[in-house]
């Protein structure tokens, strides 16, 4: 999201205006696409009067069918009323779009360019020569693909580093335990060489079993699987199953530090409100079981701590 600048207007505070990078190709194409869409809507609105509003009368004026011409005045009035309301709604929608905060910097930039060119039209042909919506879609897809490739490469580098790191998964558990998070405890397996242990969430009353699987000829754990441990004779609750489903769908399945931080985010699940609606339960009396990782800042050392936001399923 672009940074925002707050502007003071004659003693009162104006709305925040986004700072726009007009050197960005995506920004320029996006702005042109918005202007192009506005012109398309203008041509549509030109059909509103008289053709659009008087459309209910068209069958009477063009048809030789007596049944069409015999429409009652109340029927005609109802049809005209609906057409007028739809036309007015389209006009109001267009005005809202034209005056929206999103388009304000575009209009300011257009006016600046016109002033710089001494009033000459920015597009001298007077017509659109390209479909900027299609160009924008291509640029967006290309940018998104490049970003996904970058993130994938970064993750592969992190994964390779984690698998070959000294101490491996044991050192990750040790660093996590040293943080001494309230209500979160590690229970180690009797077999210290086996990548298997439990995480208890005392306040939430839950226990999760973690087991690592290895790849052939790989020194580290390639994937961590999570299971829910319940008392004998008791079935998992809906809440426990929902949390387990969320844990199973997580990214970075190789990253034990990520998994431990994600599990610990449920330690206070009965007190943690949804990051979007700010409520603890939704209309279906559900707790916010979904977790979305916050953008991580560059760690100052080799230890990276992940933070998560909580959401209700219907808030995403």
């Amino acid at each position: 999201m672009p940074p925002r600048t707050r502007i003071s207007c004659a003693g009162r505070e104006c709305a925040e205006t986004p700072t726009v990078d007009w050197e960005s190709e995506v920004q320029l194409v996006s702005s042109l696409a918005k202007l192009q869409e506005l012109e398309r809507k203008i041509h549509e609105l030109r059909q509103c009067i008289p053709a659009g509003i008087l459309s209910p009368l068209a069958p009477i004026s063009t048809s030789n069918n007596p049944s069409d011409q015999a429409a009652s005045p109340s029927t005609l009035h109802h049809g005209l009323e609906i057409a007028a309301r739809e036309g007015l709604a389209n006009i109001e929608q267009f005005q809202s779009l034209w005056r929206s905060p999103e388009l304000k910097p575009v209009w300011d930039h257009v006016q600046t360019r016109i002033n710089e060119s001494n009033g000459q039209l920015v597009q001298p042909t007077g017509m659109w020569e390209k479909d900027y919506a299609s160009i924008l879609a291509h640029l967006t897809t290309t940018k998104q693909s490049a970003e996904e490739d970058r993130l994938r490469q970064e993750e592969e580098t992190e994964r390779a580093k984690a698998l070959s790191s000294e101490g491996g998964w044991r050192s990750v558990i040790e660093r996590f335990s040293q943080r001494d998070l309230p209500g979160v405890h590690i229970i180690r397996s009797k077999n210290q060489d086996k990548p298997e242990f439990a995480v208890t969430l005392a306040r939430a009353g839950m226990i999760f079993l973690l087991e690592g699987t290895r790849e052939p000829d790989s020194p580290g754990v390639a994937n961590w699987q999570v299971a829910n441990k319940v008392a004998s004779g008791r079935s998992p609750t809906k809440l426990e199953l929902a949390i387990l489903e969320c844990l199973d769908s997580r990214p970075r399945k190789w990253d034990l530090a990520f998994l431990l931080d994600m599990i610990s985010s449920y330690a206070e699940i009965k007190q943690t409100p949804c990051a979007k609606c700010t409520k603890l339960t939704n209309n279906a009396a559900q707790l916010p079981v979904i977790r979305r990782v916050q953008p991580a800042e560059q760690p100052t050392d080799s230890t990276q701590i992940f933070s998560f936001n909580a959401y209700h399923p219907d808030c995403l």
Side-chain angles (χ1 to χ4, degrees):
M1 181 178 292
R4 294 179 177 271
T5 303
R6 187 172 292 278
I7 303 174
S8 178
C9 302
R12 62 183 179 86
E13 196 173 45
C14 293
E16 292 181 344
T17 303
T19 301
V20 179
D21 178 15
W22 290 111
E23 299 298 322
S24 166
E25 181 182 15
V26 173
Q27 177 62 52
L28 290 171
V29 173
S30 173
S31 299
L32 288 168
K34 291 184 179 73
L35 295 176
Q36 197 170 36
E37 177 64 13
L38 278 177
E39 186 184 51
R40 185 188 67 79
K41 289 182 178 296
I42 288 174
H43 290 302
E44 289 182 354
L45 291 175
R46 284 174 176 168
Q47 303 301 317
C48 180
I49 299 175
I53 292 180
L54 298 182
S55 59
L57 301 179
I60 299 176
S61 60
T62 60
S63 174
N64 295 322
N65 190 335
S67 62
D68 291 336
Q69 298 178 359
S72 67
S74 61
T75 301
L76 293 176
H77 178 271
H78 181 66
L80 289 171
E81 185 178 25
I82 292 177
R85 288 178 177 176
E86 291 177 349
L88 181 60
N90 289 334
I91 293 174
E92 291 176 345
Q93 183 184 29
F94 174 81
Q95 289 177 332
S96 297
L97 180 61
W98 184 284
R99 299 166 181 166
S100 66
E102 185 183 16
L103 272 170
K104 185 181 184 306
V106 178
W107 294 130
D108 292 343
H109 185 68
V110 169
Q111 188 61 50
T112 300
R113 292 293 304 276
I114 292 175
N115 293 340
E116 291 174 350
S117 60
N118 296 321
Q120 297 295 319
L121 291 175
V122 178
Q123 193 166 345
T125 60
M127 60 185 296
W128 296 101
E129 299 174 355
K130 298 179 181 179
D131 182 358
Y132 288 102
S134 298
I135 297 174
L136 177 62
H138 175 71
L139 287 175
T140 302
T141 301
T142 302
K143 183 179 180 180
Q144 182 178 357
S145 178
E147 179 65 12
E148 290 174 352
D149 289 342
R150 184 187 68 80
L151 294 175
R152 192 180 302 111
Q153 292 176 2
E154 286 185 358
E155 183 173 337
E156 284 299 320
T157 301
E158 289 183 57
R159 182 175 183 271
K161 183 179 179 180
L163 292 178
S164 60
S165 63
E166 184 178 355
W169 60 273
R170 298 178 188 83
S171 63
V172 174
I173 294 176
E174 187 63 31
R175 289 195 299 268
F176 182 81
S177 299
Q178 290 174 358
R179 287 161 57 189
D180 196 22
L181 299 177
V184 183
H185 305 286
I186 299 290
I187 302 176
R188 310 239 182 156
S189 171
K190 294 181 180 180
N191 186 351
Q192 296 294 320
D193 294 328
K194 188 176 182 180
E196 183 179 277
F197 61 97
V199 181
T200 67
L201 304 180
R203 297 180 183 178
M206 300 178 189
I207 301 177
F208 296 97
L209 302 177
L210 279 64
E211 183 177 0
T213 58
R214 303 179 187 272
E215 291 181 347
D217 303 324
S218 177
V221 175
N223 181 32
W224 288 93
Q225 298 176 345
V226 187
N228 181 241
K229 182 180 179 180
V230 296
S232 178
R234 182 176 76 83
S235 299
T237 65
K238 290 183 178 180
L239 177 61
E240 290 170 334
L241 292 175
I243 293 175
L244 189 61
E245 182 180 357
C246 188
L247 291 171
D248 285 340
S249 64
R250 74 189 186 278
R252 304 171 68 96
K253 288 184 168 32
W254 53 271
D255 193 341
L256 179 58
F258 182 92
L259 175 57
L260 290 174
D261 284 340
M262 188 174 183
I263 291 176
S264 66
S265 72
Y266 291 103
E268 303 287 346
I269 187 171
K270 297 177 182 178
Q271 290 80 36
T272 304
C274 175
K276 183 174 182 180
C277 71
T278 70
K279 297 179 180 179
L280 184 60
T281 58
N282 60 8
N283 292 334
Q286 295 174 313
L287 291 169
V289 298
I290 306 298
R291 292 295 183 268
R292 291 291 182 267
V293 65
Q294 298 177 7
E297 296 182 359
Q298 190 68 24
T300 56
D301 53 19
S302 59
T303 303
Q304 183 172 358
I305 298 176
F306 298 91
S307 299
F308 293 82
N309 287 327
Y311 296 95
H312 296 117
D314 54 344
C315 285
L316 291 176

